[in-house]
Amino acid sequence: MIKWIKRLMLFFIISGSFAIGCMSTVLVWLWLQGAPAIQLDENTVIYSDDQAILAEQHGLKSRYAVDLEAISPHVTEAVIAAEDQQFYNHLGFNPKRIAGAAYQNILSGDLSQGASTITQQLARNLFLTHDKTWHRKIEELLIAIRLEMFWDKDEILTSYLNTIYFGHGQYGIEAASQYYFDKSASDLSVTEGALLAAIPKGPSVYSPIDHKERAMERQEWILKQMNDSEFIDDEQFAQAIDEPVRLTQPVTSKSEQGQYAVDYAIQQAAATLDITPEQLTTSGYKVYTTVKERAQTKLEETSDQHLPDDKEFQIGAMTLDHETGAIIAMQGGRDFDQSTYNRSVQSKRMTGSTFKAFLYYAALVYGFTPSTTLESTETSFALNNEEPYQPSNVSDVYADRPVTLAQALAVSDNIYAVKTNQFIKPENLVEAASLFGIESDEEPGLAMALGTESASVYEMARAYSLLANQGKSVEPYMIEKIEDRHGEVVYEHEAPEEEAVLDERYAFVLTHLLTGMFDNRLSGYLSVTGSPISHQLNQAYAGKSGTTDYDAWMIGYSPHYTTAIWTGYDESQPLERRSETQAAKQIWGQYMNQLHAELPADPFSVPSGVVGVEVDPVTGKLATDACAEQARLTYYIEGTEPTTYCEAH
């Protein structure tokens, strides 16, 4: 008998030693594996310039990671009470719960009973499938032990709360809190925290939206567990039971504003970080843009109001702060959901008469003044070995007399423009356009004066911003700053040194000439091109419109902002209705008024070396008392102003 007992004791000693050895080996092996590597998809948020949220981008899962301090303690207490009351005491698994579940599973012949701790659930959610097999449960246990080895309890709980599924596409407590209650997880009450804690057990079964009664039953059970665990006292329990639950109404799908701007910001931010847009939108970045929410809203509302009903009729628009280059608003089409093609940056269209700004800058440099006159009459230009070139004015209307540059630009006289191009020579016009960043793909020719060159809205806004910024160049940009998921700044825009590309004196003289399109004193044989909107403008604006058979442009600026707008059809369908040819002007005028409603009506700043004199706009000579009604203050490079008085009146 004694011999048998000794053998039994030896067996237990050997078995125990073997078990301890195996366990020690497993623990050492787990330690050598190190902490499990975790990289979760997380929503990327796009902000406006005042840090309002423009958009939230995510992949298949909507998730925001938050620290434990940013989660209401009522939530953590509810989750612990519901899922794992011994969480802060065990080493990643609960032997008593495992034994009980195993016993029930053996009796039932399946694995329906679970005993997973919060740590084990986190291991499963992050690294494993939800298959109910012994193999998966063993893997779950081993990963849970590794998590406990290298993470403290608060880190485990934080990761768990940031990863569990709360139904309706929402992953993590912050996304769920925003979705169900439209508030941050830090602001959740006991009642709300308990209701959210009820969902993960079965998101499709305990959804408070789809199955409110069932969800409330489990919420009440969780509140009872919190009371039993002394997380809340009897009074708090009673109050929580009686507190009504106010869920946020599910948001119906609708077209979002700023989608073209947001898409452009994503593309630019991804390129800046040298990653794909897909990587950007699932990595928890915070992208701070230059977009002004109010400006973006006004641009889109005004576009909707004035675009013709034809859904194929498109728009490309962009507004710059021309002192910095910041893009404050962008519209790439009339409906992002129908077409993601961004016509403000991706499309190049014939510029029409908006190209004349570059022509007349060159003309000023080559000796023209606002008073320079050329004959406006039907003209055929003889070209070497080619058919004569016969441009025409709108409706074939001509002054049949000499007209000044000031009036010709204001009414967009094509004959004057082609004669000017002939004088300065087309190759010099190409060079002048390149100063503005418009590179020509064409052979230099007289027709270039009328805008046969194609450019994007982005390029034309940048070009006109040179004039608005006293000849100093700026590069349009939209990304101000990017932070990673940890709040570290990984990119911040640095303003490059300004470069004087244009002579500020000529730039200002041309700017003042461009205000003429809104001044009816310059109307005569033709109306100034801005007359349809001039009566509604509330600021000093300079600009130029342009129309081809297929394109309508309006580009202009104030001392504050530059806006370029193109309208037309993608497939070069002719513009035949007035609503098609005038849409760009109408949108520009109303939008710029709204954009400037709260800004001071500042004049354009006059640089040194420029003088202003009262001039008769028809003759280009100094005005007399007889010219008072139509006399216009006009600016000249000092020494080029007129010295003779008008005798026409």
Side-chain angles (χ1 to χ4, degrees):
M1 181 69 177
I2 295 175
K3 191 173 183 180
W4 181 84
I5 293 174
K6 287 183 178 180
R7 287 179 179 175
L8 186 62
M9 290 179 62
L10 181 62
F11 171 78
F12 280 119
I13 292 172
I14 294 173
S15 298
S17 299
F18 179 76
I20 292 172
C22 290
M23 185 176 296
S24 299
T25 302
V26 170
L27 291 175
V28 171
W29 177 77
L30 290 175
W31 177 266
L32 294 175
Q33 296 296 305
I38 298 176
Q39 182 67 28
L40 297 173
D41 283 356
E42 187 180 330
N43 293 9
T44 284
V45 184
I46 313 297
Y47 295 92
S48 66
D49 76 321
D50 59 355
Q51 298 191 16
I53 294 177
L54 288 175
E56 300 167 2
Q57 301 290 316
H58 56 81
L60 298 176
K61 301 177 180 180
S62 178
R63 177 188 284 124
Y64 309 93
V66 291
D67 295 331
L68 194 61
E69 293 77 15
I71 302 172
S72 167
H74 301 311
V75 175
T76 58
E77 291 166 357
V79 168
I80 290 172
E83 301 291 337
D84 188 358
Q85 294 181 14
Q86 297 301 313
F87 171 69
Y88 279 102
N89 300 319
H90 60 60
L91 299 176
F93 59 96
N94 188 325
K96 184 178 179 180
R97 288 177 64 183
I98 291 175
Y103 176 72
Q104 293 297 326
N105 289 335
I106 291 170
L107 290 180
S108 63
D110 59 25
L111 297 176
S112 59
Q113 294 293 316
S116 295
T117 63
I118 284 176
T119 311
Q120 288 174 276
Q121 291 181 54
L122 177 63
R124 180 180 66 235
N125 291 340
L126 292 181
F127 304 105
L128 303 171
T129 68
H130 286 243
D131 295 338
K132 292 184 176 182
T133 64
W134 287 110
H135 179 266
R136 197 272 293 159
K137 286 183 175 291
I138 292 171
E139 283 188 299
E140 176 186 295
L141 178 62
L142 295 177
I143 294 173
I145 294 172
R146 285 174 62 195
L147 288 171
E148 293 276 352
M149 283 179 172
F150 294 97
W151 291 12
D152 64 36
K153 290 290 186 177
D154 284 350
E155 288 177 316
I156 293 172
L157 183 59
T158 302
S159 292
Y160 176 77
L161 290 170
N162 280 321
T163 55
I164 50 177
Y165 183 50
F166 286 91
H168 298 280
Q170 308 305 308
Y171 286 78
I173 188 63
E174 182 66 19
S177 181
Q178 296 286 354
Y179 182 81
Y180 290 106
F181 297 112
D182 193 24
K183 61 170 63 174
S184 171
S186 62
D187 299 325
L188 292 169
S189 68
V190 175
T191 302
E192 293 164 340
L195 183 59
L196 291 185
I199 300 172
K201 181 175 177 64
S204 62
V205 176
Y206 295 105
S207 163
I209 293 175
D210 297 333
H211 305 287
K212 187 172 182 178
E213 185 176 346
R214 196 177 296 161
M216 297 301 291
E217 288 175 358
R218 179 161 173 79
Q219 176 216 42
E220 186 173 341
W221 178 82
I222 292 174
L223 289 171
K224 182 67 169 61
Q225 299 302 308
M226 294 175 71
N227 183 227
D228 292 344
S229 301
E230 298 183 352
F231 287 130
I232 57 176
D233 57 28
D234 292 343
E235 183 180 352
Q236 289 174 305
F237 172 73
Q239 289 176 345
I241 290 293
D242 293 336
E243 181 183 322
V245 174
R246 295 181 177 85
L247 295 171
T248 302
Q249 291 297 318
V251 179
T252 57
S253 176
K254 65 177 183 177
S255 180
E256 298 177 2
Q257 289 192 318
Q259 289 175 289
Y260 286 101
V262 167
D263 184 66
Y264 181 75
I266 290 170
Q267 301 296 328
Q268 293 300 298
T272 298
L273 299 178
D274 195 25
I275 59 178
T276 67
E278 291 73 21
Q279 290 173 312
L280 180 90
T281 56
T282 58
S283 298
Y285 288 102
K286 293 181 178 179
V287 180
Y288 297 89
T289 74
T290 58
V291 174
K292 293 185 179 295
E293 190 175 23
R294 178 176 173 274
Q296 185 67 44
T297 299
K298 294 299 182 185
L299 176 58
E300 296 186 28
E301 289 177 350
T302 309
S303 299
D304 290 342
Q305 183 177 343
H306 290 287
L307 287 174
D309 292 337
D310 190 336
K311 298 300 183 182
E312 298 302 316
F313 191 84
Q314 296 293 344
I315 182 172
M318 181 183 294
T319 300
L320 300 179
D321 178 338
H322 45 247
E323 289 189 1
T324 64
I327 300 171
I328 70 164
M330 173 185 285
Q331 180 73 340
R334 70 186 299 155
D335 189 341
F336 187 84
D337 293 332
Q338 295 298 317
S339 170
T340 61
Y341 182 64
N342 192 331
R343 293 155 189 85
S344 63
V345 292
Q346 294 177 279
S347 177
K348 290 196 174 190
R349 303 295 295 231
M350 285 180 61
T351 55
S353 289
T354 60
F355 201 81
K356 290 176 182 175
F358 317 138
L359 169 74
Y360 290 125
Y361 179 82
L364 291 171
V365 172
Y366 276 88
F368 277 49
T369 77
S371 294
T372 299
T373 58
L374 294 172
E375 191 83 13
S376 172
T377 186
E378 192 170 5
T379 306
S380 177
F381 294 87
L383 304 176
N384 294 334
N385 302 320
E386 295 182 19
E387 290 292 323
Y389 175 48
Q390 293 182 291
S392 62
N393 282 346
V394 62
S395 302
D396 287 323
V397 174
Y398 309 92
D400 292 324
R401 60 169 172 79
V403 298
T404 62
L405 189 160
Q407 187 173 40
L409 181 51
V411 302
S412 203
D413 190 302
N414 288 336
I415 303 301
Y416 192 105
V418 175
K419 286 184 175 180
T420 301
N421 192 23
Q422 188 178 45
F423 175 83
I424 67 170
K425 295 187 171 34
E427 54 269 26
N428 291 322
L429 173 55
V430 171
E431 184 178 347
S434 69
L435 288 176
F436 288 86
I438 307 298
E439 300 297 335
S440 175
D441 296 327
E442 300 181 21
E443 285 294 319
L446 293 181
M448 287 186 69
L450 306 185
T452 57
E453 190 65 45
S454 294
S456 67
V457 170
Y458 174 99
E459 291 170 326
M460 293 301 284
R462 180 183 61 188
Y464 272 68
S465 72
L466 267 173
L467 297 171
N469 198 33
Q470 295 88 45
K472 296 185 287 291
S473 66
V474 293
E475 189 63 30
Y477 75 99
M478 188 178 280
I479 307 303
E480 200 70 73
K481 182 176 67 172
I482 305 173
E483 293 178 357
D484 65 17
R485 67 173 69 202
H486 306 296
E488 296 293 325
V489 176
V490 294
Y491 169 80
E492 191 159 12
H493 175 76
E494 293 184 8
E497 289 188 15
E498 289 186 328
E499 179 186 0
V501 177
L502 309 178
D503 186 309
E504 67 173 342
R505 300 170 303 159
Y506 294 115
F508 174 78
V509 170
L510 180 54
T511 287
H512 194 263
L513 284 169
L514 289 169
T515 66
M517 76 169 289
F518 306 115
D519 191 340
N520 286 304
R521 289 173 294 179
L522 290 166
S523 292
Y525 61 105
L526 290 168
S527 296
V528 293
T529 54
S531 60
I533 60 173
S534 60
H535 63 283
Q536 61 180 279
L537 301 181
N538 58 5
Q539 285 264 351
Y541 295 110
K544 189 73 189 76
S545 59
T547 306
T548 73
D549 290 341
Y550 309 103
D551 311 277
W553 291 80
M554 180 62 215
I555 311 174
Y557 50 94
S558 71
H560 304 285
Y561 296 116
T562 298
T563 295
I565 296 176
W566 165 88
T567 55
Y569 293 93
D570 289 337
E571 300 302 325
S572 297
Q573 179 178 326
L575 308 184
E576 298 175 341
R577 296 176 294 166
R578 179 175 173 80
S579 61
E580 295 172 333
T581 59
Q582 294 297 310
K585 286 180 188 175
Q586 295 296 332
I587 294 168
W588 186 93
Q590 182 174 325
Y591 163 66
M592 289 292 272
N593 263 4
Q594 293 175 343
L595 181 62
H596 289 78
E598 299 176 3
L599 295 174
D602 295 329
F604 291 105
S605 179
V606 183
S608 59
V610 172
V611 296
V613 293
E614 293 287 336
V615 169
D616 173 69
V618 176
T619 64
K621 296 181 179 181
L622 293 173
T624 65
D625 291 341
C627 305
E629 287 189 10
Q630 64 187 54
R632 188 172 192 264
L633 180 63
T634 306
Y635 289 90
Y636 298 80
I637 304 299
E638 191 170 9
T640 68
E641 65 272 20
T643 56
T644 58
Y645 286 90
C646 174
E647 298 177 352
H649 302 90

